[in-house]
Amino acid sequence: MASMLASAGRDTAARIAPSRGATLDVICAGEALWDLAPPGGASLRFRPGGGAVNAAVALARSGLRVGLAAALGDNAPGRALLARVAAVGVDVAGVALIPTRQGLIVLEDTGGARHMVAHRAEDELPLSVPEGWAAPVLLLSGISPALAPIAALCRAARAARRSGTVVVVDLNARWRLWAGRDPRVLHALLREADVVRCSAADLAGLGLDDAQVRAAMRPSATLVLTQGAGAARATGPFGEIAVAPPVVAEARAAGAGDAFTAAICAEIARAGDHGPERSDLWARAIQRGHAAASAKVGRR
């Protein structure tokens, strides 16, 4: 798993000193940003967010050993986000601090979740997994449409899978980034995944349907499709499993989908495999995903 992620721009990145010989339960790689907390208080509140960060924080809080590989701006917000994530017990040795354009903040609304996004050079995300990191699960979340980072993630997924690591891809689409882009650039990454998690909103933003995603995946892989606050469905060699949530929430919460994905990763890490033919594992994983997502909604 050493040096699984690499891309152009590494020379411009300020690196965090890598952990030596870290053996983890899950490695989370992908985007990192601030979530704007839902209104209701007297002042704005920001919390660590982005697919990889949300999943890493949730997994660490559940007692698992987690490492984060991501790119953050080398500025006050970036360093503050890094400190917040490290404070919950996530190993941040895989985080790179990169130069950012000063003074540019974008607030975007993605399917009901609001985020503060620093300027990013999409083709130069200097992600890398530190030497010595190993884990039974690698999560890739928040996929950029640019070819360079997708190619780097493909190499990471291929290397991880060859070493026996279960590769989980959460499409977690940023509609603003994917507008007008060809979603077929994802096919190579989908072929490297053991598990793909996506929501109906992700598919709509990408201009795909679940049949197209399933066709791009290997026959032995598992597709988990969530329908907002409704039933989740897993398809794979075990057949199809659909599980309804215990309570159907009326609203979505920022990070609910990431909490669902984190619960799946936790189940796989504890089981030791992704259960390509185990319907019991997937029924349990989806139930726990629903519980995690519902808890997020309840904390709105």
Side-chain angles (χ1 to χ4, degrees):
M1 298 265 302
S3 298
M4 292 192 309
L5 299 178
S7 75
R10 183 188 301 265
D11 291 341
T12 64
R15 298 291 303 163
I16 306 298
S19 301
R20 297 297 179 186
T23 299
L24 305 163
D25 296 307
V26 182
I27 296 171
C28 300
E31 66 182 358
L33 43 81
W34 286 102
D35 282 338
L36 174 62
S43 60
L44 294 176
R45 292 184 298 111
F46 294 94
R47 59 193 176 199
V53 169
N54 281 334
V57 169
L59 288 163
R61 285 175 172 164
S62 74
L64 294 180
R65 298 162 298 174
V66 186
L68 176 65
L72 290 173
D74 190 8
N75 51 25
R79 290 188 290 273
L81 178 53
L82 180 64
R84 288 279 295 276
V85 174
V88 301
V90 175
D91 191 330
V92 296
V95 174
L97 296 175
I98 61 174
T100 60
R101 183 179 299 172
Q102 297 298 315
L104 177 58
I105 293 177
V106 178
L107 283 178
E108 66 173 12
D109 193 315
T110 308
R114 299 185 69 191
H115 307 281
M116 183 177 77
V117 186
H119 172 76
R120 295 185 299 176
E122 292 296 327
D123 288 309
E124 295 185 328
L125 292 180
L127 300 178
S128 65
V129 172
E131 297 286 343
W133 270 17
V137 180
L138 169 66
L139 169 63
L140 307 177
S141 181
I143 312 300
S144 162
L147 293 178
I150 287 180
L153 293 179
C154 285
R155 291 191 294 272
R158 189 175 304 117
R161 194 160 55 81
R162 287 174 178 170
S163 71
T165 295
V166 176
V167 177
V168 180
V169 173
D170 189 334
L171 292 183
N172 208 352
R174 293 270 172 234
W175 301 349
R176 177 180 60 86
L177 297 180
W178 280 93
R181 302 292 189 111
D182 188 343
R184 289 177 295 183
V185 298
L186 286 169
H187 286 190
L189 181 60
L190 293 174
R191 282 193 292 272
E192 298 297 339
D194 295 297
V195 180
V196 174
R197 205 290 301 187
C198 61
S199 68
D202 291 328
L203 295 180
L206 290 166
L208 293 171
D209 59 39
D210 56 335
Q212 291 171 305
V213 174
R214 178 75 260 182
M217 296 166 58
R218 290 176 295 111
S220 61
T222 299
L223 172 63
V224 180
L225 177 64
T226 56
Q227 299 277 351
R233 175 164 51 91
T235 58
F238 49 80
E240 180 175 309
I241 297 172
V243 179
V247 177
V248 177
E250 296 182 357
R252 294 182 58 192
D258 301 325
F260 196 111
T261 300
I264 290 175
C265 291
E267 189 64 32
I268 293 171
R270 287 168 176 144
D273 65 77
H274 71 293
E277 297 181 354
R278 291 181 54 190
S279 59
D280 62 316
L281 184 148
W282 282 103
R284 188 166 61 249
I286 293 176
Q287 288 170 347
R288 291 182 177 174
H290 276 314
S294 296
K296 273 285 186 181
V297 173
R299 290 197 294 269
R300 280 177 62 96

